[in-house]
Amino acid sequence: MKEVAHFNLLDYNTFGIEAKCDYFIQYSNKEDAQQAASKLVAPFLILGGGSNLLLTKDYRGTVVKAESRFDVEVIKTSTDSVWLRCWAGTTFDEVVEYAVNHGYYGLENLSLIPGEVGASAVQNIGAYGAEAKDVIDEIEVIEISSGHQFTFKHTDCQYSYRQSRFKREWRNKYLITHVVYRLSTEFRPHLDYGNIRSSLDAQGIGMPTAEQLRETIVSIRQAKLPDPKVLGNAGSFFMNPIIDTERFKVLTKSYPQIPHYSIDEQHEKIPAGWLIEQSGWKGRSLGRAAVHDKQALVLVNTGEATGTEILALCDTVREAVRAKFDISIEPEVNIQ
């Protein structure tokens, strides 16, 4: 187990914000996690890959995270499924790549989402019509207050759009050590979300293989999303708002081309990036923070921006959307 006082978190957040914590603990296995749990006294921050985090100041407390390493094993198989047990600190996209390469399916549409396995179970990460909850089977945790080990089924976690009990009543109650994904041995591609099908058509691909679907989604994301190693960012900064159908019908009178995705008969999801672009903020900057010029859902650090500068841009963009559409867009990123 790694323990460091006055630790610099610059390399542990993809925004590239220089901030320190009073104490840093990194656990490498369940026993480490139990020992780490015994040392945690509020305030503390459970960190994943730092790809969903905005640090606005030094963190006056302890930061704890799973060691970053690739650790994946098949623990069970059936006639049509395989169960992958993955260490919480494994890079999530490495799991997607591993699964596709071995003929385990269900993660393809989640290709190139940044972050680690543990965070996938907390955030219920999603993209292109797929969510982590679709494939999560179990989550293995250490209870911080007692050090006891527990295993939750996905049904225990009350997953919804970018939400779980880990973000609500279970916040700061558990250290995740492993996530078990149940994947299919039969490839059933989901192509009717975003521009997946049009991108495949442009390549002359009618029915893709899993490898082709993953490569296409990776290419789409790379074309729209900046590399955090080049331009600091946390991927999608805002969640797509869900509004009631009656409110949506009113909006269509002024904006007949408004993009949307039906959730159910009473609710529609509106792309936050479209709202931001229509509000005039795509590609604009506020000091050293900016809205990305290719994907308005992404806020970027153009060079040595502080967390407070990025937060100021966030607030300004939210107010612009609220003023134009009377819709509130909420940050997906954990702001500290």
Side-chain angles (χ1 to χ4, degrees):
M1 187 170 71
K2 178 179 179 179
E3 300 179 66
V4 183
H6 308 298
F7 189 75
N8 193 330
L9 297 168
L10 177 63
D11 295 330
Y12 288 77
N13 72 97
T14 57
F15 259 121
I17 303 296
E18 184 157 354
K20 294 181 179 179
C21 61
D22 290 344
Y23 204 66
F24 179 81
I25 300 176
Q26 180 175 275
Y27 58 94
S28 301
N29 49 50
K30 282 192 173 184
E31 293 70 31
D32 276 2
Q34 289 174 311
Q35 187 177 351
S38 69
K39 296 174 179 286
L40 292 179
V41 178
F44 60 87
L45 172 66
I46 302 171
L47 183 65
S51 60
N52 197 52
L53 175 67
L54 175 62
L55 295 166
T56 60
K57 55 185 178 297
D58 288 342
Y59 188 77
R60 304 313 305 264
T62 299
V63 171
V64 59
K65 79 175 300 295
E67 178 188 21
S68 298
R69 70 170 190 270
F70 182 81
D71 186 347
V72 175
E73 63 174 327
V74 175
I75 59 170
K76 185 170 66 171
T77 60
S78 69
T79 55
D80 61 357
S81 299
V82 62
W83 285 258
L84 286 186
R85 182 174 182 259
C86 305
W87 171 247
T90 301
T91 298
F92 181 77
D93 191 57
E94 291 182 354
V95 176
V96 182
E97 182 179 38
Y98 175 90
V100 169
N101 289 344
H102 286 78
Y104 311 143
Y105 308 118
L107 292 170
E108 305 81 37
N109 288 41
L110 303 178
S111 292
L112 210 64
I113 292 181
E116 295 179 343
V117 162
S120 76
V122 174
Q123 291 289 119
N124 185 26
I125 59 174
Y128 297 104
E131 292 181 302
K133 70 175 180 60
D134 302 331
V135 292
I136 288 175
D137 186 55
E138 295 180 339
I139 303 99
E140 299 174 25
V141 305
I142 300 297
E143 185 178 48
I144 291 173
S145 63
S146 67
H148 294 162
Q149 301 180 30
F150 294 97
T151 298
F152 294 121
K153 297 296 290 185
H154 78 281
T155 50
D156 297 324
C157 302
Q158 297 179 4
Y159 283 121
S160 59
Y161 175 60
R162 303 297 182 270
Q163 288 291 329
S164 73
R165 296 179 77 181
F166 291 108
K167 293 183 69 174
R168 299 190 303 269
E169 65 265 35
W170 289 353
R171 184 179 178 87
N172 288 344
K173 286 192 174 183
Y174 302 101
L175 297 178
I176 295 176
T177 60
H178 296 84
V179 177
V180 177
Y181 302 105
R182 180 180 179 176
L183 305 179
S184 175
T185 54
E186 181 181 349
F187 179 51
R188 302 183 186 90
H190 300 284
L191 309 179
D192 295 318
Y193 199 100
N195 55 342
I196 295 176
R197 194 174 289 277
S198 62
S199 295
L200 290 168
D201 289 344
Q203 301 173 67
I205 299 173
M207 182 55 64
T209 63
E211 292 81 0
Q212 289 172 326
L213 178 55
R214 169 170 162 77
E215 289 170 1
T216 296
I217 289 175
V218 167
S219 295
I220 292 171
R221 290 182 66 89
Q222 287 178 332
K224 295 194 302 183
L225 302 174
D227 183 344
K229 295 176 183 177
V230 178
L231 200 60
N233 72 91
S236 298
F237 196 94
F238 300 99
M239 293 183 286
N240 295 321
I242 296 173
I243 63 175
D244 63 71
T245 302
E246 291 305 313
R247 173 70 182 129
F248 173 72
K249 289 178 180 178
V250 172
L251 280 174
T252 57
K253 294 178 181 178
S254 299
Y255 306 96
Q257 302 303 316
I258 185 171
H260 63 100
Y261 304 96
S262 295
I263 302 299
D264 52 41
E265 291 184 357
Q266 288 79 39
H267 299 92
E268 298 287 334
K269 183 191 295 183
I270 310 298
W274 183 87
L275 295 170
I276 295 168
E277 184 173 355
Q278 295 299 310
S279 300
W281 272 94
K282 184 176 182 180
R284 289 178 59 187
S285 61
L286 190 66
R288 295 174 291 186
V291 179
H292 191 47
D293 59 358
K294 293 182 180 178
Q295 172 52 272
L297 202 57
V298 179
L299 304 187
V300 299
N301 179 354
T302 61
E304 299 184 358
T306 64
T308 53
E309 286 178 289
I310 294 168
L311 181 58
L313 175 62
C314 162
D315 292 340
T316 301
V317 168
R318 292 184 68 198
E319 181 53 39
V321 170
R322 187 182 297 111
K324 188 174 182 67
F325 295 100
D326 193 26
I327 292 176
S328 177
I329 56 172
E330 301 298 329
E332 181 177 336
V333 170
N334 179 11
I335 299 171
Q336 292 288 333

